[in-house]
Amino acid sequence: GPATEMPAASAVSTVADLFRLAEALRREGELDGHRLLTPAMVRLATRNHTGDRPNGFYAFACEQRGWDPFPANIGLSFWVRGEGIFPTYFGVTSSPRTFGGLGAGSSMFWIDPDRDLTFVLLTAGLREETHNLDRCQRLSDLVQAAVVD
């Protein structure tokens, strides 16, 4: 209803603004010399708080695509890459500490703190969820492949 707040819906941004947010998170809460969050708060929010519990949100995808169930890897408002090989928006070659956020099939950002790397994606239109996951995983792996450690 009109009084309902839904922080994950109807957000509008630019690549530049989303990148600035992601950069502040990569820098553990600091941007342009201003402290927005404490490093401890960023670390708490970007830690896996669901352990190895399966991702029930994608149970339909596992059934539809024949995927094995995979871990939720959810922090406090962030997705976390975690360990293992399974479908992931952040790419299979990103570090386990990689974290980020997703939009409804058209936006994504992630930060790989081990590689000191930020990636932002804004596209137009919606794709079916599992095809969007495939696309984002491929793009993320391409970005990671371009990095020389």
Side-chain angles (χ1 to χ4, degrees):
T4 303
E5 290 187 35
M6 189 172 201
S10 301
V12 177
S13 188
T14 64
V15 169
D17 284 344
L18 189 54
F19 182 75
R20 286 178 55 78
L21 169 67
E23 276 295 281
L25 293 167
R26 182 185 65 80
R27 298 167 59 91
E28 293 192 312
E30 183 273 326
L31 186 65
D32 299 334
H34 301 283
R35 172 76 37 209
L36 306 170
L37 298 166
T38 66
M41 181 56 71
V42 173
R43 286 190 298 270
L44 175 68
T46 61
R47 184 179 326 135
N48 178 1
H49 289 272
T50 57
D52 59 0
R53 284 179 276 198
N55 191 328
F57 182 76
Y58 285 98
F60 81 94
C62 292
E63 184 176 317
Q64 176 183 335
R65 300 282 299 271
W67 295 341
D68 290 331
F70 52 92
N73 292 342
I74 299 173
L76 302 178
S77 295
F78 295 100
W79 296 85
V80 182
R81 166 66 178 99
E83 299 274 354
I85 303 295
F86 50 82
T88 172
Y89 287 89
F90 305 148
V92 297
T93 60
S94 60
S95 76
R97 292 190 321 135
T98 299
F99 66 91
L102 310 167
S106 59
S107 63
M108 170 183 70
F109 74 90
W110 53 254
I111 295 97
D112 185 332
D114 292 345
R115 292 197 174 105
D116 203 24
L117 182 63
T118 300
F119 177 68
V120 172
L121 172 73
L122 288 181
T123 63
L126 296 174
R127 299 187 67 163
E128 188 276 325
E129 190 67 30
T130 64
H131 294 291
N132 184 53
L133 195 158
D134 288 337
R135 172 182 64 164
C136 290
Q137 181 170 309
R138 281 194 290 275
L139 289 170
S140 294
D141 281 332
L142 285 170
V143 169
Q144 292 285 354
V147 175
V148 177
D149 290 331

